[in-house]
Amino acid sequence: MIDPLVRMGTVLVVAPHPDDEILGCGGTIARLAAAGHDVHVAVATRGTPPRYQAEDVERVRQEAAAAHALLGVAQTHHLDHPAAELDRVPHAELNATMSTLFAAVEPDTLFLPFGGDIHLDHQLIFRSALVAARPYGWNYPVRLYAYETLSETNWSAPHVDPTFVPNVFIDIHETLERKLDAFACYRSQCRAFPNERSPEALRALATLRGATVHRRAAEAFLLIREIM
C-alpha cells in the first residue's frame, strides 16, 4: 500500500512560538521525517526584553533544537519577530518575511496555526502565511493545513471567532511517544497535569482525535486548500 503522505513533498510547519509546532504537529513531523520528507520548521517569534530575559530566550532556543533533532526536522528557521507583540509589526513586514521564507524553502505543504486561535500572534501569522502562499506563478504551496494548539485553539469565543472543525486526521500512533519526548525537551514550557500543556493532556487529545476516526492516536487538521 502506498503511504498516503507521499504526496506531501517538502513540508514547512510555521510556529508562532517555540513549542507550537510540537503541540500541533509533533507526531506528523516525526512520521513525515521518518518517511524521508524534508520537514522544515519556522519559529516566527522570539522573546525580547523586558518581557523575556535573554538567558530564558536562549534556553528555549536550545530546547527547540533538541526537540527538532529528535523529530528529524531538516532545518529550523528563526524569524525573530517579537513574541506577543506582532500587532506592532507592520503587516507588510510579516508578509514579506513569509514570502522570503517560502521562496527559500519552496514548500509543497504548509502546516499553519489556526486563524481562530485566541492568541493574536497566531492569527497574524496565519494571515501573513496565506498572503505569501497565494497561487501566483507556478511555484507555491499546493496543500495548506491549519493545526490546533492546546490552550490557544480551544479558548476562543464560541460562535464569535472561527471554530476549529477538523476534516483531516493523520495517524500518529507510531510516533506519539516521539512527539511526547520532543515536548519534554521544552522543559520551560511543560506543565503538570491537569494543565493543558502537559504530556498527559497531549496524549489524551491524540487519543480522542484518533478514536474519532478509529485509530489509536491522531493529529487533527483543517484543510485550507489543496490543488491536485
Side-chain angles (χ1 to χ4, degrees):
M1 179 179 177
I2 298 176
D3 187 337
L5 298 187
V6 68
R7 61 198 177 103
M8 292 286 191
T10 299
V11 176
L12 174 61
V13 179
V14 182
H17 315 102
D19 86 352
D20 289 332
E21 74 285 4
I22 308 300
L23 295 171
C25 308
T28 298
I29 292 172
R31 180 175 168 186
L32 288 167
H37 293 268
D38 282 336
V39 182
H40 296 247
V41 172
V43 180
T45 67
R46 69 177 294 157
T48 56
R51 189 188 302 270
Y52 302 96
Q53 299 302 310
E55 59 270 23
D56 295 332
V57 173
E58 181 57 31
R59 181 170 68 250
V60 171
R61 183 157 293 194
Q62 292 174 1
E63 292 171 348
H68 295 177
L70 185 62
L71 295 180
V73 171
Q75 186 174 353
T76 302
H77 308 262
H78 291 282
L79 307 184
D80 290 337
H81 287 294
E85 296 182 7
L86 285 186
D87 56 323
R88 300 184 182 184
V89 178
H91 194 55
E93 183 177 331
L94 289 178
N95 295 349
T97 300
M98 288 295 162
S99 295
T100 299
L101 172 69
F102 292 3
V105 176
E106 296 187 343
D108 302 292
T109 301
L110 288 178
F111 288 92
L112 307 173
F114 178 57
D117 285 0
I118 196 170
H119 201 310
L120 187 55
D121 282 1
H122 290 225
Q123 298 173 28
L124 293 171
I125 290 300
F126 174 76
R127 292 285 181 183
S128 287
L130 287 188
V131 170
R134 287 178 295 183
Y136 286 160
W138 297 105
N139 271 335
Y140 56 85
V142 297
R143 198 168 296 103
L144 285 69
Y145 300 103
Y147 58 82
E148 60 181 331
T149 308
L150 275 172
S151 79
E152 304 292 359
T153 306
N154 54 309
W155 279 114
S156 290
H159 311 297
V160 176
D161 295 317
T163 302
F164 184 79
V165 182
N167 53 12
V168 174
F169 298 81
I170 296 181
D171 189 330
I172 64 163
H173 81 277
E174 292 184 351
T175 56
L176 175 57
E177 297 306 322
R178 191 171 300 175
K179 168 177 178 159
L180 297 178
D181 289 344
F183 183 60
C185 291
Y186 280 107
R187 294 183 180 180
S188 64
Q189 308 302 311
C190 285
R191 301 292 182 264
F193 186 78
N195 190 288
E196 289 180 291
R197 296 206 170 199
S198 62
E200 294 90 342
L202 290 183
R203 184 185 297 276
L205 179 60
T207 301
L208 172 64
R209 293 309 191 190
T212 300
V213 291
H214 200 73
R215 295 293 187 272
R216 299 183 187 280
E219 288 172 334
F221 305 92
L222 177 64
L223 177 63
I224 304 299
R225 179 171 69 236
E226 184 173 41
I227 301 170
M228 302 177 67

